[in-house]
Amino acid sequence: MENKAVVLLSGGMDSSTLLYYAKTQHDEIHALSFDYGQRHRKELNAAKAIAKSLNVSIKILQLPVEIFKHGGPLVDPTIDVPKQEEDKQALTVVPFRNSFFLLFAAAYARQIDAKYVYIGACGDDQRSYPDCRPHFFEAFQQMINAQDEDIIIKYPFVYKSKKEIVQLGTELGVPWELTWTCYRGEEVACGECDACVERLLAFKEANLNDPLPYRKKPW
Amino acid sequence: MENKAVVLLSGGMDSSTLLYYAKTQHDEIHALSFDYGQRHRKELNAAKAIAKSLNVSIKILQLPVEIFKHGGPLVDPTIDVPKQEEDKQALTVVPFRNSFFLLFAAAYARQIDAKYVYIGACGDDQRSYPDCRPHFFEAFQQMINAQDEDIIIKYPFVYKSKKEIVQLGTELGVPWELTWTCYRGEEVACGECDACVERLLAFKEANLNDPLPYRKKPW
C-alpha cells in the first residue's frame, strides 16, 4: 500500500510531533518503539499514551540489551547522566542507535507492506549525534535500496530547530503533557539534564508553556 | 586494537571457512551468531562446535523473532522448505538479514574495540540474495562510516564459488563434520533442499568428500 507509513516513536517531543505530522500525510500510520534497556524507560509509557491519543497502533520491540552495554549513561545505570552545563552530551551517544531503529523499522515496514519510514531527528541533534545528520540518512537509504528499492526513509525535521518543532507540534495539537523527554527516568522530569534543558529552552524560545512538571527549572 | 576482528558465524560451510581464514589474518577473533527463530537451529550448535575447534569465543545474540515472521520458510514453520529442483530459492530470502547481522556485528566490534567485521557471503549467493552483493556491502560500509570511521567490513569470499570455498576450507583444516548447512533442522541433513544440494555439488566439483551423513544424496 502506497500511503502507509511506519513512524519511529520514542515518546519525546520530536517523535510525538512526528507522529502527529505523519498522520496528516498518510492514510495509515503505525508507531514503532524500542525497549533497549534505556534508563528513561518512562518514555515507553509516553510513547504508548501518544499513540493512543491518535488512535494509532504501536509495537514495542525488545532489543538485545547487551549490545548497548557500553552505550554510556543512557543505558548503563553505573554512569551518571551528565547535567547540561557539563557539556558532555557526546557521552550520551548510543552506538548505531538510529541505524538499529531504522533497520527494524524498515523490516517492520516490509512486513506490514508500508512504503515509508519516518524518523524524527532534528537539526539541533546534529552537533552531537552523527546518526542524526542528512549524510547518514542518505547513506542509510542507499544501503536499504541496495536490497529493497521500495522503502523510503523520511526525516522531515532534519533542518528544524527544537523551537520550530514545538511550534509545529502545538499547531498539530500534540498533548505535551503526555510526552517524556528527561534522560533520567525518575518520577518527575529533572530539569537539569541536557534533554530537559533543550526542551525547556525550545518552549521558551517559542513563547509557549510546557505543561510538564519539573523538579527544578533552570530559569 | 588494530588487529582484532568479529566474524559472523552461522556454522555453515562458508562462515566456518571464514572463521578459519580470519584466524590466519588477525591476532584475536570473536565469533558472533544469531538466534532469529531459524528452522535450522542445529546450525547454532554447529557454530559453537566450530568456534570451539579454533578455541575462539562465541556470542549468540537473540533477535526479536517477530520481525522475521513473514521471512519465508527459513523462519516460518508453516511454510515448507522448497526442494532445490523447484527453483524457489527466492522464497528463502529473509528481509534485511545480512543488514541486521552486520549492524549487530558492528556494534559488537565497537563494544570490544575491534576494527574488522567479517561476513562470509560468497559469489554463488549473489543470484538470489541482493544482500550478498558487493554493491550492498559497499553501501553498508558507507552507512557505517557516516557515523563511525573506524570499522571496516570484510567480505573476502564475495567472488569465490562454493567449490573454491570447499577447497580453501579443506586447506585450512575446517572440520566439515562439525558444520551444518541443511535448511531443514532435522536429525540428519536432508540432501534435497537448496542448501544441501549446493554443498554436495561444491564438494563434488572440488573432488572432495563431504563427511556429513545425508538422508538422501542427489547422486
Side-chain angles (χ1 to χ4, degrees):
Chain A
M1 183 188 177
E2 178 73 13
N3 206 5
K4 198 164 164 182
V6 170
V7 180
L8 288 169
L9 177 67
S10 73
M13 207 170 75
D14 306 344
S15 67
S16 298
T17 301
L18 185 73
L19 194 76
Y20 273 69
Y21 171 74
K23 180 81 173 172
T24 68
Q25 305 292 309
H26 298 274
D27 293 338
E28 193 181 328
I29 60 174
H30 295 265
L32 182 62
S33 303
F34 297 94
D35 183 347
Y36 58 102
Q38 63 268 56
R39 179 194 290 250
H40 45 312
R41 301 171 67 79
K42 281 191 76 163
E43 69 174 19
L44 290 176
N45 291 331
K48 283 186 215 166
I50 289 292
K52 200 176 168 195
S53 76
L54 268 184
N55 205 17
V56 157
S57 86
I58 179 169
K59 187 182 191 73
I60 297 178
L61 272 184
Q62 180 95 33
L63 296 193
V65 173
E66 54 197 302
I67 213 68
F68 295 115
K69 222 182 268 166
H70 298 303
L74 296 200
V75 287
D76 187 340
T78 66
I79 310 174
D80 266 352
V81 175
K83 291 186 186 175
Q84 200 267 346
E85 65 208 33
E86 296 177 78
D87 197 20
K88 286 183 183 163
Q89 197 177 8
L91 266 181
T92 60
V93 175
V94 178
F96 307 117
R97 181 165 56 173
N98 281 347
S99 304
F100 279 108
F101 291 175
L102 284 172
L103 187 55
F104 278 105
Y108 185 44
R110 171 55 54 233
Q111 197 174 61
I112 65 173
D113 206 16
K115 187 182 175 68
Y116 299 95
V117 168
Y118 278 77
I119 183 163
C122 85
D124 294 353
D125 294 332
Q126 291 192 33
R127 186 173 54 93
S128 302
Y129 303 108
D131 62 354
C132 290
R133 296 176 192 152
H135 172 60
F136 163 72
F137 294 121
E138 287 153 19
F140 195 92
Q141 178 75 64
Q142 293 295 320
M143 185 277 287
I144 290 293
N145 287 160
Q147 54 194 313
D148 184 320
E149 287 175 11
D150 289 334
I151 288 175
I152 294 172
I153 313 291
K154 303 280 263 182
Y155 34 101
F157 296 171
V158 82
Y159 293 114
K160 277 197 198 305
S161 66
K162 297 265 178 201
K163 173 192 164 192
E164 290 171 308
I165 287 174
V166 166
Q167 288 171 329
L168 176 62
T170 302
E171 273 170 42
L172 294 168
V174 173
W176 297 119
E177 69 281 4
L178 299 181
T179 64
W180 183 263
T181 298
C182 182
Y183 277 156
R184 298 181 167 127
E186 296 163 7
E187 185 66 24
V188 177
C190 74
E192 290 184 307
C193 72
D194 195 75
C196 277
V197 173
E198 268 189 355
R199 173 176 170 138
L200 283 162
L201 194 62
F203 274 92
K204 192 182 174 203
E205 287 177 355
N207 252 325
L208 290 162
N209 179 49
D210 184 354
L212 211 64
Y214 287 87
R215 198 181 64 214
K216 183 184 171 186
K217 283 208 184 183
W219 45 77
Chain B
M1 183 189 177
E2 179 72 13
N3 206 4
K4 198 165 164 181
V6 170
V7 180
L8 289 168
L9 177 68
S10 73
M13 207 170 75
D14 306 344
S15 67
S16 299
T17 301
L18 185 73
L19 194 76
Y20 272 70
Y21 171 74
K23 179 81 174 173
T24 68
Q25 306 291 309
H26 299 275
D27 293 336
E28 192 181 329
I29 59 174
H30 295 266
L32 182 63
S33 303
F34 297 94
D35 183 347
Y36 59 102
Q38 62 268 57
R39 179 194 290 249
H40 45 312
R41 300 170 68 78
K42 280 191 76 163
E43 69 174 20
L44 290 175
N45 292 331
K48 283 186 215 165
I50 289 292
K52 199 177 170 195
S53 76
L54 268 184
N55 205 15
V56 157
S57 86
I58 180 169
K59 187 183 190 72
I60 297 178
L61 272 183
Q62 180 95 34
L63 297 193
V65 173
E66 55 198 301
I67 212 68
F68 295 114
K69 221 181 271 167
H70 298 303
L74 296 199
V75 286
D76 187 341
T78 66
I79 309 174
D80 265 352
V81 175
K83 290 186 186 175
Q84 200 268 345
E85 64 209 31
E86 296 177 79
D87 198 20
K88 286 183 182 162
Q89 196 176 9
L91 266 182
T92 61
V93 174
V94 178
F96 307 119
R97 181 165 56 173
N98 280 347
S99 304
F100 279 108
F101 291 175
L102 285 172
L103 188 54
F104 278 106
Y108 185 44
R110 171 56 54 232
Q111 197 175 61
I112 65 174
D113 206 16
K115 187 181 175 68
Y116 300 94
V117 168
Y118 278 78
I119 183 162
C122 86
D124 294 352
D125 294 332
Q126 291 192 34
R127 186 174 55 94
S128 302
Y129 304 108
D131 61 355
C132 290
R133 296 176 191 151
H135 172 61
F136 163 71
F137 294 121
E138 287 152 20
F140 195 92
Q141 179 75 65
Q142 293 294 319
M143 185 277 287
I144 290 292
N145 287 160
Q147 54 194 314
D148 184 320
E149 287 175 12
D150 289 334
I151 287 174
I152 295 172
I153 313 291
K154 303 279 263 183
Y155 35 100
F157 296 170
V158 83
Y159 293 114
K160 277 197 198 306
S161 66
K162 298 264 178 202
K163 173 192 164 191
E164 291 171 309
I165 287 174
V166 167
Q167 288 170 329
L168 176 62
T170 302
E171 273 170 41
L172 293 169
V174 173
W176 298 119
E177 68 282 4
L178 300 181
T179 64
W180 183 262
T181 297
C182 183
Y183 278 156
R184 299 181 166 127
E186 297 163 7
E187 184 64 25
V188 177
C190 75
E192 290 185 306
C193 72
D194 196 74
C196 277
V197 173
E198 268 189 356
R199 173 177 171 138
L200 284 163
L201 195 62
F203 274 92
K204 191 182 173 203
E205 287 177 356
N207 253 324
L208 289 163
N209 179 49
D210 183 354
L212 211 63
Y214 287 87
R215 199 181 63 212
K216 183 183 169 185
K217 284 207 184 182
W219 46 77

